[in-house]
Amino acid sequence: MRQPDLLVVGAGPVGLALALALKDSGLAIVLADARPRAAVLADPRVLALAHGTRLTLERLGVWDALPVTPIRRIHVSQQGGFGRTELRAEDYRQPALGYVVSAGALAGALRAAVERSGIPILDETEVTALTPQADAVVATLVATLGSPAASAPDDAPCRARLVACAEGRLDAGSRDVVERDYRQHALIARIDVDGGHRDRAFERFTPQGPIALLPCDSNFALVQVVSPERADELLAIDDAGYVAQMQERFGTRLRFGTVSRRHRYPLGLRYRRDPAGARTVWLGNAAQTLHPVAGQGFNLALRDVWALADTLLRHRGDPGGAAVLDAYADSRGLDRFGAIHFTDALVRVFSNDFAPLRQLRGAGLLALDLIPPLRDFVARRMMFGARAWP
């Protein structure tokens, strides 16, 4: 039976970052992921990394290996109403407000660093049960038939002093889980624009939902939020028709070219009230799934990772002890509450065409443009989180 100090469930960017942050801690660490290694590294999702996330990835020693595209300006506006604002990196003496990278590339850089550290990763190995006991959690590991792990001689139950669940959805129906269906779907694609992106990002609020354009390589990564019914319509039209409706949403500010294949994802808010339990902690999407409107999800997850690693390094001894996990949960309360409710408020205010709110949105955007301290607060909130930590 494996008996690590820490079992990390999920070898995506969140789980790998936690293992890497603790590589010199003296803790025996094992990662398990149900997916094949190649599937994790081929993840096509695009992540918006805040400036604070860059600082953490630099500390982990992987930043220089990442093929990132900087965001130097963010233009925020609404269709059919007054008010707009622009956030500029030079106003905060930063090289960029944020960066864009594919999830697969980030996982690849983190994985290479974890492998160099000698921490074992069990690919194609599903954790099917977790049973907390007084001094450990007994985990049932099931290797995929035909996978390399299936023939390993030490394939057996695992007994860990602490389990970090860093992948997977939240437990639906649990009393500790808050859920809200936004009745929205996100359409994801790549789209070209005449003249290139020039390191600019756009957030455009429309009556049908927000549209984000993130500079990525030579084109934009597109996230368009619409109702499920509208998503059906947009997936049914050809590329030319889709580009035409995008042009209508943005007007003449940008001239769109070709668009890639579109994918859709349902959107909702789901989060655990308490990110720590009996010898178990939840991170990333296992702790909270946020709307992509402000790009807060992965950045919040990485702040969770860094705080957990810091807590474990400061509280030597039993990593799964109740006092240790209580200290971690207490340290994350303000930031988690702020990110979750900040994102939820943006969705509620900016994802409808109620006339009074449309006027309020315009006034808010105008205030951001005219009142530098307010604009600075929003910019630093997006760069560093609720506590604006570097």
Side-chain angles (χ1 to χ4, degrees):
M1 175 182 288
R2 291 182 180 271
Q3 298 192 52
D5 296 306
L6 172 63
L7 169 65
V8 181
V9 182
V14 176
L16 290 166
L18 177 63
L20 192 57
L22 292 169
K23 67 181 178 65
D24 297 320
S25 65
L27 296 173
I29 304 170
V30 173
L31 295 97
D33 198 298
R35 299 164 295 179
R37 180 181 189 275
V40 178
L41 303 186
D43 189 339
R45 292 176 301 160
V46 170
L47 300 175
L49 309 180
H51 178 71
T53 296
R54 170 184 175 159
L55 300 181
T56 300
L57 293 173
E58 286 178 341
R59 294 180 182 123
L60 294 177
V62 300
W63 179 256
D64 290 341
L66 294 177
V68 300
T69 304
I71 301 174
R72 305 193 196 280
R73 296 192 175 199
I74 302 175
H75 187 280
V76 186
S77 63
Q78 68 169 334
Q79 182 189 13
F82 73 97
R84 43 80 67 198
T85 193
E86 187 171 71
L87 307 177
R88 297 176 292 269
E90 60 262 32
D91 292 342
Y92 309 99
R93 299 176 182 174
Q94 301 293 348
L97 294 167
Y99 303 84
V100 181
V101 69
S102 76
L106 178 57
L110 289 165
R111 172 129 188 175
V114 170
E115 289 174 341
R116 287 194 298 270
S117 75
I119 296 173
I121 303 174
L122 306 178
D123 294 309
E124 300 179 68
T125 301
E126 185 177 2
V127 179
T128 60
L130 295 172
T131 306
Q133 299 181 346
D135 59 349
V137 176
V138 176
T140 302
L141 307 182
V142 178
T144 303
L145 186 64
S147 71
S151 59
D154 57 348
D155 181 23
C158 176
R159 183 180 176 86
R161 293 200 290 169
L162 173 64
V163 173
C165 297
E167 293 285 346
R169 294 174 60 86
L170 295 136
D171 298 331
S174 170
R175 287 184 296 178
D176 189 48
V177 174
V178 176
E179 296 185 86
R180 177 173 297 123
D181 184 357
Y182 288 128
R183 286 284 300 157
Q184 294 178 334
H185 282 202
L187 298 184
I188 311 294
R190 295 287 190 96
I191 192 166
D192 292 320
V193 64
D194 290 353
H197 53 65
R198 292 182 284 172
D199 298 338
R200 298 171 301 166
F202 292 85
E203 188 86 39
R204 179 76 159 163
F205 295 101
T206 80
Q208 296 179 342
I211 301 174
L213 292 173
L214 303 175
C216 188
D217 299 327
S218 61
N219 53 21
F220 278 116
L222 161 69
V223 182
Q224 182 177 10
V225 176
V226 293
S227 69
E229 296 77 16
R230 181 59 175 161
D232 291 338
E233 296 171 1
L234 291 176
L235 288 173
I237 62 177
D238 61 17
D239 289 352
Y242 184 81
V243 170
Q245 69 85 32
M246 279 292 296
Q247 199 67 65
E248 180 183 353
R249 299 287 174 268
F250 271 83
T252 59
R253 181 175 292 110
L254 297 171
R255 182 61 59 185
F256 295 106
T258 58
V259 66
S260 71
R261 181 182 176 187
R262 288 148 269 158
H263 302 273
R264 76 190 293 175
Y265 299 93
L267 301 177
L269 171 65
R270 302 175 188 86
Y271 66 93
R272 289 183 178 274
R273 292 186 175 90
D274 191 342
R279 293 194 171 274
T280 306
V281 65
W282 292 272
L283 302 165
N285 285 337
Q288 62 266 327
T289 301
L290 307 185
H291 195 286
V293 63
Q296 294 290 295
F298 178 74
N299 298 294
L300 175 60
L302 197 59
R303 296 198 295 272
D304 290 343
V305 163
W306 192 257
L308 177 59
D310 180 67
T311 302
L312 294 177
L313 291 171
R314 287 187 293 106
H315 295 77
R316 298 290 184 170
D318 184 356
V324 177
L325 297 187
D326 286 346
Y328 163 71
D330 289 344
S331 74
R332 298 304 299 141
L334 175 62
D335 193 14
R336 289 188 76 235
F337 180 89
I340 290 168
H341 294 284
F342 173 71
T343 301
D344 186 48
L346 284 179
V347 176
R348 291 171 177 270
V349 172
F350 285 98
S351 290
N352 63 75
D353 198 32
F354 184 48
L357 277 181
R358 187 167 63 247
Q359 299 301 317
L360 182 62
R361 289 196 297 262
L365 292 173
L366 183 62
L368 285 176
D369 205 45
L370 296 177
I371 306 174
L374 182 59
R375 188 170 63 249
D376 293 350
F377 168 78
V378 173
R380 293 188 180 280
R381 177 72 179 72
M382 295 182 72
M383 286 192 288
F384 299 115
R387 293 186 175 181
W389 55 272

